[in-house]
Amino acid sequence: MSEPVIVLNKLTKSYGKHRGIEEINFTVDRGEIFGFIGPNGAGKSTTIRTLMGLLKPTGGTASIFGLDCGRQASEIAKDVGYLPGENCYYNSMKVKEMLLYTAELYGVADHNRMEALAERLNLDLSRRIGDLSLGNKKKVGIISALLPSPKLLIMDEPASGLDPLIQQTFYDLLKEENERGTTIFLSSHVLSEVQRLCERVAILKEGKLVGVQSMREIRENGYKKISLTTKNAIPKDLFSISGTANLECNKTRTSVSFMFSGTVMTIMEQIHQLELVDILIEEPSLEEIFLHYYE
């Protein structure tokens, strides 16, 4: 088995009174699309900046390609395409000038890739960066990260600011890069983004790692979303049983929705007591599943 591309071992970054990250442990395997999720302020960007050598850790270690992220950052950067959460460019430069600078920095002589990426993302290379919208500036960052065909892509909230059609194109590009062998590490607070792309996810809450799970484990954890309507009011404690979560009921108690994890017969015994008008049982979204991690 090959060595993991990214290894975090008790990685800690303290800002004193302000939240940082505390003893983060996980690995990202070669060729994987790995998600790093949590609400805004959870510590995702702090972790990524520490990985990129932009912040010095307070404790623990982080390595990429077996190299220390602090001491060997410049060597690591040769094989990493990085998209920060917030880009700072020279506003007077034209897009093409900026991307040519990136190409020169990475030693990319073939400019056809730059033009092809710009065409797919519908980015005008002749415009001044200062005149671009937030979404178009994000496209510049995406192309800059993809341009050198890196071994590893690290992207912080990559799809924010992109319109839905461009988002789909961006997802297609990531899948194509991954099929060519690129390892991808991306952070997001948009869980549908993670659901679409990733094989495993690390879940961060208030600077601490809640857990690392495969998407298969998450989808197969037994949770079902149940919504039902009845003729008469539902007894108050009917669904106050083990495995029930996110219980919501209307004022007349004739409509209820909840998530359930447990044996089917247990919940069916409760439902059997009701005079049903309608019932819907479906797989919950990741947004609903992950609410449990933030409670």
Side-chain angles (χ1 to χ4, degrees):
M1 185 175 179
S2 61
E3 182 182 2
V5 171
I6 298 174
V7 178
L8 276 64
N9 182 24
K10 296 185 177 180
L11 187 66
T12 300
K13 176 62 181 176
S14 175
Y15 294 109
K17 292 182 180 179
H18 300 286
R19 180 185 302 151
I21 53 174
E22 184 177 339
E23 296 196 345
I24 306 295
N25 293 286
F26 62 78
T27 62
V28 178
D29 296 330
R30 192 176 302 278
E32 186 173 22
I33 304 181
F34 189 94
F36 192 39
I37 66 171
N40 288 324
K44 302 186 302 297
S45 292
T46 295
T47 305
I48 287 175
R49 287 170 186 155
T50 308
L51 274 174
M52 293 302 301
L54 302 174
L55 294 175
K56 184 178 179 180
T58 309
T61 61
S63 67
I64 294 177
F65 308 128
L67 304 175
D68 184 88
C69 289
R71 296 193 308 271
Q72 298 166 288
S74 59
E75 188 175 348
I76 291 169
K78 296 175 184 176
D79 293 313
V80 177
Y82 172 47
L83 176 69
E86 297 180 3
N87 288 310
C88 294
Y89 299 124
Y90 295 107
N91 287 332
S92 60
M93 292 181 76
K94 291 185 177 180
V95 173
K96 189 169 185 176
E97 291 173 335
M98 176 66 203
L99 294 175
L100 286 173
Y101 173 75
T102 301
E104 185 178 350
L105 193 66
Y106 281 95
V108 178
D110 183 3
H111 298 158
N112 290 332
R113 179 167 169 80
M114 173 187 68
E115 293 167 359
L117 288 169
E119 184 176 352
R120 289 187 66 177
L121 291 172
N122 193 25
L123 178 64
D124 186 348
L125 295 174
S126 66
R127 294 190 64 187
R128 286 177 64 254
I129 289 176
D131 297 333
L132 298 179
S133 66
L134 176 64
N136 280 322
K137 286 181 179 179
K138 179 59 68 79
K139 294 176 190 177
V140 176
I142 290 170
I143 294 172
S144 294
L146 292 171
L147 194 54
S149 300
K151 295 178 182 177
L152 171 65
L153 276 169
I154 295 181
M155 313 191 101
D156 193 356
E157 301 284 354
S160 64
L162 300 178
D163 69 58
L165 288 176
I166 296 298
Q167 279 186 21
Q168 183 56 55
T169 301
F170 168 63
Y171 298 147
D172 291 342
L173 284 169
L174 287 188
K175 289 174 183 176
E176 289 166 18
E177 291 300 304
N178 181 246
E179 287 170 3
R180 283 196 283 266
T182 304
T183 304
I184 299 173
F185 177 86
L186 63 90
S187 81
S188 181
H189 69 279
V190 181
L191 300 175
S192 58
E193 190 172 291
V194 172
Q195 188 173 25
R196 184 182 303 219
L197 291 169
C198 298
E199 298 157 21
R200 290 193 302 147
V201 293
I203 304 160
L204 201 65
K205 174 186 176 183
E206 297 178 355
K208 296 181 180 180
L209 187 68
V210 177
V212 177
Q213 286 190 285
S214 71
M215 297 307 301
R216 177 177 292 180
E217 286 173 334
I218 290 166
R219 293 191 182 102
E220 294 178 356
N221 66 359
Y223 275 110
K224 298 297 178 187
K225 184 178 179 182
I226 300 174
S227 304
L228 54 87
T229 306
T230 61
K231 283 188 177 181
N232 304 311
I234 299 166
K236 189 172 182 180
D237 298 323
L238 184 65
F239 295 114
S240 298
I241 59 176
S242 177
T244 300
N246 293 6
L247 186 67
E248 295 181 0
C249 199
N250 67 352
K251 291 181 180 180
T252 60
R253 300 195 62 81
T254 55
S255 180
V256 66
S257 67
F258 56 91
M259 293 202 342
F260 179 74
S261 176
T263 61
V264 174
M265 288 308 300
T266 300
I267 196 65
M268 290 307 296
E269 286 174 3
Q270 305 303 101
I271 294 174
H272 185 67
Q273 301 176 40
L274 303 171
E275 193 170 355
L276 289 177
V277 173
D278 194 17
I279 185 169
L280 176 64
I281 301 176
E282 58 185 334
E283 183 178 289
S285 68
L286 282 184
E287 283 90 342
E288 292 165 314
I289 291 173
F290 285 136
L291 280 175
H292 301 291
Y293 290 107
Y294 303 135
E295 290 174 350

